Amino acid sequence: MASRVFLRRVIGAGLLAAALAGCMLASYFTQDLIAEAAILAVFALSLDFLATCGLVSFGHAGLLGVGAYAFGGLTVLAGYSPGTALAAAVLGGLIVAMAAGVFAVRTTGAFFIMVTLAMAEMFFSWVFRDRTFKGADGMGGVPRLDLSAIGVDLNDASTFAIFVVLLCAAIWLALEFLIVSPFGRTLDAIRQNAGRVSALGGSVFAYRLAAFTISGGIAAFAGAFKVQHTNFLSPDLAGWLASGDVLIAVVIGGIGTLVGGILGAAILVFLKDFLSSHFGHWYLFLGAIFMMVAIGLPRGIVGWVLELRGKRP
Amino acid sequence: MTIALETRDLGKSFGSLVATRNVTLAFEAGLRHAIIGPNGAGKTTFFNLLAGNLRPDGGRVLLGDRDVTNLGLAQRARLGIARSFQRNNVFMDLTVLENLVFARAVREKRTAVFWRSLRSYGDLREGAEAIAEKVGLTGDLDTVARSLSYGGQRQLEVGLALACDPKVLLLDEPTAGMSPEETARMRDLIRQLPGSLTMVIIEHDMDLVMDIADRITVLDYGSVLTQGTPTEIRASELVRERYLGGAAANPAGAS
């Protein structure tokens, strides 16, 4: 019988193959959607990785926003190269997450949700009001990474889509290995029973902080690519609706499965596109679909598939 | 006589309820100490103060010569105070072996590792299997904790505490909710633990206490009522009156 790990990787490989085929064969418009889905998938991975230690954030768009604004600000306003800006964006995400985490990860459950939401809204209201980044108007002209040195033109829609799909696959694989490392298993043990980890002598706080920091770095990375994709920087990237969207993606796909976040992101992006081209009130339909999945498949689609294969590896 | 663990004037209140009242106790190294007392006597609160789950309002806790009063649960665990819980508190989604290997990895400070898998820690497996044998779970190494019998989970609970290489082992009602057969198995298990290990056990089963304890402390309303060997406690008028009631009036029934 196939193990859960094997099944997860098969699903991941299938999604990767479908995405790459789409990048090469599908229309310009579909390629654009694939790129959007891959970037949301990276963001979803950051949220689901955090869930490994039992924490569900409702302010993750704040960390995505840190990466987006660091990248957009440094390239458009300060004239740094996109490569430097990308490194700075990830570093900024790591630092902000660590600083915020010192306060946030002392709480769990609903309190953690409220603390992360409040922190993200603080960031949102700053970039919404402050004219440095043109406030609510947003700011255009964000450049993409320049890989012409190796003959890759990211301004081509197909190439950009392939590039972000491969980045997403690389991050997913890295996280797949990270969650079975002693560090990752400690996070899982904390999710199952934090009190017992303490009683064994493990520092629950330090591990949760480390997970939150890593998660923030990945979210910021996703943010830096989100603004490269649209070439546009705006505060709603960091708003609570964006935090809600990524949470919906992870829950639909299957929380705690990693690959579920990728599937959920793909479903969300394509469903939104389909619904919004047919209905005016498309969030109404999206909400209904989300509710049906949440009630019918409480562990999400991937969680449900894995459960069909038994409880354990 | 070496003292392994000691409390001085330890006190803890919850609102107007005094759960622990000026408790000064010394637990001699290498002995099995039992703490008994009626429900609500403050046994578990006292345990939580010893292990570091709770901070006292006043007084001190000493591990050997070291003052550990201001250290938390995890820090005390690293210094050698390990505890089991009254309600099963294991990693339900992990197998018995995974539970114990993980506990060993924490003990050896080898969990902050990103670049290899926990399964590759073959050397920890040996130590984990040795503990499984001590707690009678050798046959269930690959059983998920959730699917173990209640008694099996209790045994794993003790196994996790043992995996910390404790100097002092605190067992909170190790036989709570167990069948007579499971209780007998737990009694043998506790008896077979090395004599060098200092143990403090909260237990309601008086037969078990009289059988395995070297010293007994009786708590009542948060204070120490009396202390002594099982023979002394059984003979004590005060204990008979306040706690043992009919059970000790008939010594044959209590042995």
Side-chain angles (χ1 to χ4, degrees):
Chain A
M1 186 169 107
S3 77
R4 292 172 65 114
V5 177
F6 180 72
L7 251 164
R8 283 207 313 255
R9 291 181 187 174
V10 167
I11 296 171
L15 282 169
L16 176 64
L20 288 178
C23 291
M24 287 180 239
L25 306 173
S27 67
Y28 170 88
F29 193 66
T30 309
Q31 289 167 349
D32 201 56
L33 287 178
I34 292 172
E36 188 186 339
I39 293 165
L40 182 62
V42 173
F43 187 26
L45 283 171
S46 78
L47 186 67
D48 200 23
F49 170 69
L50 182 61
T52 313
C53 70
L55 294 174
V56 178
S57 162
F58 194 46
H60 237 46
L63 293 166
L64 178 115
V66 168
Y69 274 84
F71 187 89
L74 286 172
T75 50
V76 178
L77 299 176
Y80 283 93
S81 76
T84 312
L86 177 62
V90 173
L91 193 65
L94 292 169
I95 292 170
V96 171
M98 185 178 254
V102 167
F103 303 99
V105 304
R106 291 175 195 279
T107 61
T108 55
F111 296 101
F112 182 75
I113 286 175
M114 296 315 292
V115 169
T116 48
L117 174 63
M119 285 174 164
E121 286 300 291
M122 283 161 66
F123 180 80
F124 172 81
S125 52
W126 174 55
V127 293
F128 189 83
R129 290 275 170 213
D130 199 284
R131 294 306 299 172
T132 316
F133 304 103
K134 308 280 185 291
D137 301 337
M139 202 166 69
V142 181
R144 291 183 180 174
L145 277 183
D146 181 9
L147 298 179
S148 53
I150 53 168
V152 176
D153 177 18
L154 288 186
N155 288 316
D156 173 64
S158 169
T159 313
F160 184 78
I162 291 173
F163 187 70
V164 288
V165 164
L166 290 178
L167 280 178
C168 174
I171 289 172
W172 168 63
L173 267 181
L175 289 178
E176 273 283 327
F177 285 106
L178 188 56
I179 60 167
V180 295
S181 72
F183 171 75
R185 301 302 291 167
T186 305
L187 296 181
D188 184 62
I190 289 171
R191 176 189 61 77
Q192 291 182 46
N193 194 338
R196 180 47 111 167
V197 173
S198 291
L200 292 174
S203 171
V204 171
F205 173 75
Y207 280 87
R208 280 195 166 140
L209 183 59
F212 195 70
T213 305
I214 293 170
S215 175
I218 298 171
F221 184 80
F225 278 94
K226 181 132 185 96
V227 289
Q228 288 181 61
H229 180 222
T230 57
N231 305 114
F232 193 77
L233 189 60
S234 73
D236 43 299
L237 287 173
W240 65 269
L241 267 173
S243 293
D245 277 352
V246 71
L247 193 55
I248 288 176
V250 168
V251 171
I252 287 181
I255 202 161
T257 62
L258 289 184
V259 74
I262 302 177
L263 179 65
I267 291 174
L268 193 72
V269 166
F270 282 91
L271 201 60
K272 252 187 179 179
D273 176 63
F274 171 78
L275 291 174
S276 61
S277 58
H278 290 78
F279 308 102
H281 301 86
W282 54 277
Y283 246 111
L284 184 74
F285 294 94
L286 188 67
I289 292 168
F290 173 63
M291 267 167 41
M292 282 191 287
V293 173
I295 292 168
L297 305 173
R299 286 168 195 280
I301 295 168
V302 173
W304 172 69
V305 171
L306 294 180
E307 217 155 68
L308 292 179
R309 307 300 304 190
K311 280 262 179 219
R312 287 280 309 173
Chain B
M1 156 172 131
T2 321
I3 302 300
L5 186 66
E6 195 178 346
T7 67
R8 292 187 189 158
D9 265 334
L10 205 61
K12 179 76 188 174
S13 304
F14 300 101
S16 62
L17 174 75
V18 183
T20 305
R21 198 188 299 266
N22 303 330
V23 173
T24 298
L25 272 176
F27 298 104
E28 197 181 331
L31 294 185
R32 298 192 197 111
H33 303 266
I35 296 177
I36 61 172
N39 282 327
K43 301 186 295 292
T44 294
T45 299
F46 180 63
F47 238 47
N48 286 337
L49 292 170
L50 289 182
N53 295 74
L54 289 174
R55 300 294 165 91
D57 300 332
R60 300 205 288 155
V61 179
L62 293 106
L63 176 67
D65 296 329
R66 180 156 183 175
D67 189 329
V68 296
T69 315
N70 295 316
L71 301 184
L73 179 65
Q75 289 165 302
R76 291 191 205 182
R78 289 196 283 270
L79 291 173
I81 303 179
R83 71 166 298 172
S84 76
F85 293 84
Q86 193 175 336
R87 296 182 56 186
N88 286 339
N89 203 357
V90 302
F91 301 109
M92 286 293 187
D93 297 341
L94 303 185
T95 65
V96 168
L97 186 66
E98 287 168 342
N99 263 277
L100 295 170
V101 165
F102 174 68
R104 293 300 304 162
V106 174
R107 175 64 197 163
E108 299 197 0
K109 300 191 173 66
R110 286 163 63 184
T111 50
V113 171
F114 302 85
W115 54 88
R116 55 186 286 187
S117 102
L118 182 61
R119 282 165 193 259
S120 68
Y121 280 170
D123 53 322
L124 293 183
R125 193 186 160 113
E126 250 169 63
E129 284 175 352
I131 292 162
E133 195 181 339
K134 275 188 196 158
V135 297
L137 288 172
T138 303
D140 293 303
L141 283 177
D142 295 322
T143 308
V144 179
R146 196 180 298 286
S147 332
L148 281 176
S149 68
Y150 177 80
Q153 288 177 4
R154 285 312 279 145
Q155 285 161 263
L156 181 57
E157 177 74 35
V158 176
L160 285 177
L162 282 177
C164 299
D165 290 335
K167 292 183 191 131
V168 180
L169 178 64
L170 308 176
L171 300 177
D172 193 352
E173 295 197 33
T175 67
M178 278 186 159
S179 69
E181 299 84 61
E182 288 172 331
T183 302
R185 207 180 312 148
M186 184 61 78
R187 174 198 312 224
D188 293 340
L189 189 165
I190 293 171
R191 270 215 204 102
Q192 280 162 15
L193 293 176
S196 57
L197 184 62
T198 311
M199 261 185 267
V200 185
I201 306 170
I202 293 179
E203 187 52 67
H204 276 298
D205 185 323
M206 289 313 296
D207 291 350
L208 183 81
V209 168
M210 293 299 173
D211 186 30
I212 63 171
D214 301 306
R215 296 283 184 281
I216 296 175
T217 302
V218 186
L219 285 185
D220 196 18
Y221 293 109
S223 321
V224 178
L225 191 66
T226 184
Q227 237 189 328
T229 62
T231 322
E232 289 164 356
I233 294 300
R234 201 178 284 147
S236 157
E237 277 294 336
L238 191 59
V239 177
R240 193 174 305 178
E241 177 195 317
R242 294 301 298 277
Y243 179 52
L244 294 180
N250 172 16
S255 60

